[in-house]
Amino acid sequence: MKRQVLLLISIFCLRPVRGQVSYSIPEEMAKASLVGNIAQDLGLDVKRLRSGKARIYTGDSAQYIELNRDRGVLLVKEKIDREALCRQTTPCALHFQITLENPLELFPVTVEITDINDNAPLFQKEERRFEISESAVIGSKFLLEKAIDPDIGVNGLQRYTLKPSENFALKLHSQFDGSNKVEMVLQKPLDREKQEHISLVLTAEDGGEPQRTGTMQIHVTVLDANDNAPVFGKQVYKASITENSAIGTLVTKVSASDADKGSNGEVTYAIGNSMDTVSKLFHINSHGEVILDGAIDYEKEKHYHIDIEAVDQGGLSDSSKIIIDVIDVNDNSPIVNMISTSGSVPEDSAQKTVIALMSVNDPDSDTNGKVQCVINENMPFEIKFTSNNFYSLLTDSELDRERNSEYNITVTCSDEGVPSLSSSVTLTLQISDVNDNAPVFERSSYEAYIVENNTPGLSVFTVKARDADWNQNARVSYILEDSSVNGVPVSSYVSVSADSGVIHAVRSFDYEQIKDFHFRVKAQDGGSPPLSSNVTVKILIQDQNDNPPQVLYPVQTGGSLVAELVPRSADVGYLVTKVVAVDVDSGQNAWLSYKLQKATDRALFEVGSQNGEIRTIRQVTDKDAVKQRLSVIVEDNGQPSRSATVVVNVAVADSFPEVLSEFTDFTHDKEYNDNLTFYLVLALAVVSFLFITCVVVIISVKIYRWRQSRVLYHSNLPVIPYYPPRYSDTLGTGTLQHVYNYEVCRTTDSRKSDCKFGGAGSQNVLIMDPSSTGTMQRIQSEKSILDEPDSPLEVRPLH
């Protein structure tokens, strides 16, 4: 099989149209026959055909050719009959386009269908009868029916033969449409008396290989005496008719005259080319009027050629031709076909991006077929004519999905006929999102409060950012930026929920350690690459009354007894000592007030509610006990308030010997009485028969503790320092102007400890050391020595 491939490269103004490929194949090829390697001829890779979803676009025409994207070849989809496709038109070709996507490309392809000799010449009738007068003169012509061969060229009808050829010969006349008018010419006078009936065979032959023929039987009956044939007034008649004319419309009128008289001069008319569709569209009556019998369409046929014959009653005839031109009217609206469209384009697409290719065709002619296409106004698009009735829809300005996420583009194509006809097609185009907007916080900065001693994991507050983009590009995640607070990573203080932006406290805050801190939260979207913004967050810790007052003075020692010495000659308002306390809370939670909770003699002492000074409120007398025990409570102003209690021992005496004799068993008695009270209360709850046992236990405990006390401590002499370590009264009252230094020497494993006190700066301070050294047993299960005011502690003076 011979295949010709012609590649014609043309340069178009539109990028999608790069070249034109032409092929030539014979008709009647089997299905799946190879037409050509389109990928090779277009210079494309087979992968490009697959990735670009290559396909064939034929418009409204039937598709005879198919594309194999895997092989990159064109194949015959179904058998092609050139005669059914193009009739007598030459050349006969299929025109279609191959379209590719991403990017959009368009390649015109032409496949020429060549003719093969698959049709024999054919006569409409198998036989024809003539009645010819014997008086017919030599040279009389008789029109014969033409044979029809749908093939063209050498395969078409080539010649006629008539046998036998004694009386008649064939004569062919070339006509305007390229066909031949076939006439049988009398070349020898007829003699009815010799031969009344003559049988002839008309053979039509084509020039194909192998040669095909068609025959028609001609029967001639010789009549007597009619020696004049009809004669047409013109050899060719011309007429015109408007398409869509109504059936019954008069097209034209012809006339033929016969010199004979009577019945031999009566002429009838007939259309000669009965094989053609012309005989179905027109008829001619006895008056020579050509009448329209069917619908005519300019877009299907622009000209009609009609062979007519005039025959008299004697069988003589003449022939002529009518050429009818069809006048076009604007009866077809433009046909708009979308070849390829993009359902969506990114909002950052460059200007002049092609979003659709379309073909526009108007079958009408001249101005009726000229088309102009426009789109609706106020659109960031334009429509541009490319070539061969193809249009491109392009972007004309920047796109912004946040402003318009969808466009309904209506393309309206109108012809220039009167009245103008138009067609419209609407394309819905989605604008796909591009991550071009960073998240934006609702505030420029945030400030939040949290009360100290919060539960870890507590939700503090929420930061919120919004992103104008869509879908994943608008999905905001919150990130705590790395920073430090007092050298500690901020992530150990707070955390941020990535999805909701809720800020949680990671730890329990202590106002006394940190009052506020700053950090930054970043809002980041889910685009690629991601965009982000950040905001500053300030957390302020609110104080809570969670710390009780701490008494700095008097110091509550473990075992030694500290007492304040008040002479009996003291006047009213005598300053005994000053209770000094602090509260690490702030604000009103740190405002302290002092009250006298218990006292041996409430009428002798008072405590300043604001300054904690203990003063006498009356003159000291000899009747006042030497040992005075004051319990002072220190309260803050929080809600609820917290307090601390300190015990102040006061010795009312003029000399130290009086003090020593009174305070010798002070500590021991207190401990004993407390334990006795405990066990007495416990004994009341026990069943009566255990009462004796409880008494024995209490006595045993008493003896045990007394012995332990005697072993551990040789003396319970009081030590009466006046001020706490490194304490100085700076209030300017002049009552506490002394500074004392203490030196404490302890070892972790030794049972012996030494405590040295600096010398007193006043004669009102008594420091005693009953023994130079001592041993103190470590008590694992009890509180620290510094927290037990009654626990014993050995002291010795500094020299």
Side-chain angles (χ1 to χ4, degrees):
M1 179 180 62
K2 181 179 180 182
R3 179 171 63 88
Q4 297 178 347
V5 180
L6 177 61
L7 176 63
L8 301 175
I9 305 301
S10 303
I11 299 176
F12 293 85
C13 60
L14 181 65
R15 178 172 173 255
V17 181
R18 295 190 349 195
Q20 179 171 328
V21 179
S22 298
Y23 299 94
S24 177
I25 62 172
E27 66 175 330
E28 302 294 335
M29 287 182 68
K31 289 184 178 180
S33 297
L34 178 66
V35 176
N37 191 325
I38 189 64
Q40 178 180 345
D41 296 335
L42 288 176
L44 297 175
D45 192 352
V46 176
K47 295 180 180 179
R48 170 63 178 138
L49 296 180
R50 289 195 295 268
S51 65
K53 300 179 181 179
R55 61 186 179 90
I56 291 177
Y57 172 75
T58 61
D60 295 334
S61 303
Q63 185 173 337
Y64 296 96
I65 307 297
E66 64 180 358
L67 172 64
N68 188 317
R69 287 190 292 214
D70 294 328
R71 295 170 53 195
V73 297
L74 295 176
L75 304 175
V76 175
K77 186 176 182 181
E78 60 183 60
K79 281 188 177 183
I80 303 173
D81 187 354
R82 193 207 65 80
E83 289 73 27
L85 183 66
C86 300
R87 300 177 64 185
Q88 296 296 312
T89 303
T90 57
C92 179
L94 298 174
H95 300 279
F96 56 89
Q97 291 79 33
I98 293 179
T99 63
L100 296 175
E101 299 179 0
N102 298 322
L104 295 173
E105 293 184 293
L106 182 70
F107 302 94
V109 178
T110 300
V111 178
E112 182 180 359
I113 310 302
T114 60
D115 184 49
I116 63 173
N117 192 25
D118 58 341
N119 293 284
L122 179 65
F123 291 93
Q124 176 69 20
K125 299 178 181 179
E126 295 181 356
E127 63 179 19
R128 177 75 184 274
R129 297 183 180 274
F130 291 91
E131 292 181 350
I132 304 175
S133 173
E134 65 178 345
S135 61
V137 298
I138 295 175
S140 297
K141 297 178 289 183
F142 305 92
L143 181 65
L144 299 178
E145 180 181 356
K146 293 185 294 184
I148 301 299
D149 191 344
D151 295 326
I152 61 172
V154 69
N155 296 323
L157 182 62
Q158 298 295 321
R159 56 186 173 273
Y160 293 89
T161 58
L162 183 64
K163 293 181 180 179
S165 57
E166 295 178 1
N167 297 96
F168 297 92
L170 284 178
K171 187 175 182 181
L172 304 179
H173 300 276
S174 297
Q175 295 185 311
F176 295 98
D177 58 355
S179 64
N180 292 318
K181 182 171 69 174
V182 183
E183 293 180 336
M184 183 176 65
V185 180
L186 183 64
Q187 63 180 0
K188 182 180 178 182
L190 298 176
D191 189 352
R192 188 187 63 79
E193 289 72 26
K194 292 182 178 181
Q195 189 177 7
E196 186 177 2
H197 300 284
I198 302 173
S199 295
L200 304 171
V201 176
L202 177 63
T203 302
E205 301 175 350
D206 63 21
E209 290 293 335
Q211 188 181 61
R212 295 177 181 269
T213 61
T215 60
M216 181 178 66
Q217 296 292 327
I218 300 176
H219 302 283
V220 178
T221 299
V222 181
L223 300 177
D224 195 27
N226 181 20
D227 54 355
N228 290 290
V231 178
F232 278 102
K234 296 179 181 179
Q235 290 294 317
V236 177
Y237 291 89
K238 290 186 177 182
S240 62
I241 186 172
T242 304
E243 67 170 326
N244 301 328
S245 294
I247 295 176
T249 300
L250 175 64
V251 180
T252 189
K253 184 177 182 179
V254 298
S255 177
S257 60
D258 193 319
D260 293 327
K261 293 184 179 180
S263 60
N264 291 331
E266 294 179 1
V267 179
T268 59
Y269 300 92
I271 294 177
N273 44 352
S274 59
M275 180 69 176
D276 206 343
T277 56
V278 171
S279 61
K280 300 177 181 179
L281 294 176
F282 306 94
H283 79 273
I284 186 169
N285 59 23
S286 59
H287 302 291
E289 296 175 341
V290 179
I291 308 299
L292 180 65
D293 281 345
I296 56 175
D297 190 349
Y298 175 85
E299 287 70 41
K300 292 182 179 179
E301 197 70 50
K302 299 175 177 58
H303 308 282
Y304 291 98
H305 297 264
I306 304 176
D307 294 325
I308 55 175
E309 181 181 15
V311 183
D312 61 16
Q313 295 296 321
L316 298 179
S317 66
D318 192 11
S319 61
S320 182
K321 190 176 188 67
I322 302 174
I323 299 177
I324 301 175
D325 295 326
V326 180
I327 301 174
D328 182 40
V329 297
N330 191 27
D331 60 342
N332 292 281
S333 299
I335 301 172
V336 182
N337 291 311
M338 286 291 179
I339 299 175
S340 185
T341 61
S342 297
S344 65
V345 294
E347 61 177 320
D348 62 347
S349 298
Q351 293 190 26
K352 308 303 179 183
T353 297
V354 179
I355 60 174
L357 291 176
M358 65 190 74
S359 67
V360 181
N361 182 46
D362 192 323
D364 294 324
S365 64
D366 299 330
T367 57
N368 294 331
K370 292 182 179 180
V371 178
Q372 295 291 333
C373 293
V374 295
I375 62 174
N376 39 337
E377 297 180 352
N378 301 321
M379 287 279 185
F381 307 99
E382 65 174 346
I383 189 167
K384 184 177 181 181
F385 176 77
T386 56
S387 62
N388 297 331
N389 297 326
F390 287 98
Y391 287 82
S392 295
L393 193 60
L394 308 95
T395 58
D396 187 39
S397 60
E398 294 182 354
L399 304 176
D400 188 356
R401 191 206 67 83
E402 288 70 42
R403 189 168 59 243
N404 280 306
S405 61
E406 179 181 283
Y407 290 95
N408 291 318
I409 308 170
T410 300
V411 180
T412 303
C413 297
S414 305
D415 59 28
E416 296 181 5
V418 179
S420 176
L421 300 178
S422 64
S423 297
S424 298
V425 63
T426 299
L427 168 67
T428 299
L429 181 67
Q430 302 289 338
I431 308 301
S432 59
D433 187 44
V434 173
N435 192 26
D436 56 350
N437 291 280
V440 177
F441 282 96
E442 294 177 348
R443 302 181 188 175
S444 59
S445 63
Y446 290 87
E447 188 174 279
Y449 297 85
I450 183 171
V451 179
E452 66 171 333
N453 302 319
N454 58 286
T455 303
L458 177 68
S459 172
V460 182
F461 74 107
T462 302
V463 294
K464 192 69 176 179
R466 302 186 183 277
D467 195 311
D469 292 320
W470 183 75
N471 205 359
Q472 185 67 22
N473 294 330
R475 184 176 181 179
V476 179
S477 298
Y478 301 91
I479 302 170
L480 182 64
E481 291 191 350
D482 293 335
S483 62
S484 61
V485 178
N486 298 331
V488 179
V490 72
S491 58
S492 64
Y493 285 86
V494 293
S495 66
V496 179
S497 174
D499 295 328
S500 62
V502 177
I503 296 179
H504 296 273
V506 174
R507 62 166 63 176
S508 179
F509 294 107
D510 189 351
Y511 177 83
E512 287 70 40
Q513 294 182 2
I514 182 171
K515 293 179 174 54
D516 62 69
F517 60 94
H518 299 77
F519 59 91
R520 295 180 72 83
V521 176
K522 179 171 69 174
Q524 180 174 289
D525 60 28
S528 180
L531 300 178
S532 63
S533 60
N534 50 39
V535 69
T536 299
V537 180
K538 181 178 181 181
I539 301 293
L540 296 99
I541 313 300
Q542 292 182 327
D543 184 41
Q544 193 178 46
N545 192 26
D546 58 340
N547 292 282
Q550 297 178 358
V551 179
L552 301 180
Y553 184 83
V555 178
Q556 302 295 299
T557 59
S560 298
L561 184 62
V562 179
E564 304 295 339
L565 186 61
V566 177
R568 292 187 179 274
S569 60
D571 294 329
V572 177
Y574 178 82
L575 177 61
V576 179
T577 186
K578 182 175 183 177
V579 177
V580 180
V582 295
D583 193 321
V584 294
D585 291 325
S586 66
Q588 66 178 10
N589 294 329
W591 297 349
L592 301 180
S593 61
Y594 302 84
K595 296 179 182 178
L596 184 60
Q597 187 181 32
K598 294 180 182 180
T600 304
D601 186 354
R602 280 186 171 271
L604 183 57
F605 302 100
E606 68 175 358
V607 179
S609 62
Q610 300 299 323
N611 55 19
E613 293 179 350
I614 301 176
R615 295 178 181 271
T616 59
I617 57 177
R618 64 176 174 81
Q619 180 69 41
V620 180
T621 65
D622 293 338
K623 295 180 181 181
D624 293 325
V626 175
K627 292 190 298 182
Q628 296 286 336
R629 183 182 178 88
L630 307 178
S631 178
V632 179
I633 183 170
V634 184
E635 290 185 338
D636 59 26
N637 199 34
Q639 292 295 330
S641 64
R642 291 178 176 267
S643 63
T645 304
V646 61
V647 176
V648 179
N649 294 307
V650 179
V652 180
D654 291 329
S655 62
F656 291 127
E658 295 181 48
V659 177
L660 293 176
S661 62
E662 293 292 334
F663 279 84
T664 301
D665 295 328
F666 187 85
T667 305
H668 174 71
D669 292 341
K670 175 184 180 298
E671 180 182 1
Y672 172 78
N673 291 331
D674 289 343
N675 284 289
L676 182 59
T677 301
F678 169 76
Y679 287 111
L680 287 175
V681 173
L682 182 63
L684 294 175
V686 180
V687 185
S688 60
F689 71 88
L690 294 178
F691 175 77
I692 298 174
T693 304
C694 292
V695 173
V696 173
V697 172
I698 293 172
I699 295 173
S700 298
V701 171
K702 175 183 177 184
I703 295 172
Y704 171 76
R705 289 185 177 273
W706 181 79
R707 287 182 179 180
Q708 284 292 95
S709 173
R710 301 306 296 174
V711 172
L712 293 176
Y713 309 104
H714 300 285
S715 176
N716 286 324
L717 293 177
V719 179
I720 311 173
Y722 192 73
Y723 290 103
R726 296 187 182 275
Y727 175 78
S728 176
D729 185 2
T730 59
L731 298 178
T733 60
T735 57
L736 296 175
Q737 300 179 354
H738 310 284
V739 178
Y740 289 84
N741 297 323
Y742 298 85
E743 179 180 354
V744 179
C745 301
R746 299 191 63 186
T747 60
T748 57
D749 295 329
S750 175
R751 291 178 180 269
K752 297 182 178 181
S753 299
D754 294 335
C755 186
K756 297 180 181 180
F757 297 87
S762 171
Q763 295 181 354
N764 291 333
V765 178
L766 175 63
I767 304 174
M768 296 191 68
D769 184 10
S771 62
S772 61
T773 183
T775 302
M776 182 176 65
Q777 184 179 0
R778 298 174 63 189
I779 302 174
Q780 301 271 351
S781 62
E782 295 186 354
K783 295 182 180 179
S784 172
I785 296 175
L786 295 177
D787 295 331
E788 297 184 12
D790 295 334
S791 62
L793 177 66
E794 284 192 12
V795 298
R796 64 181 179 183
L798 275 174
H799 299 288

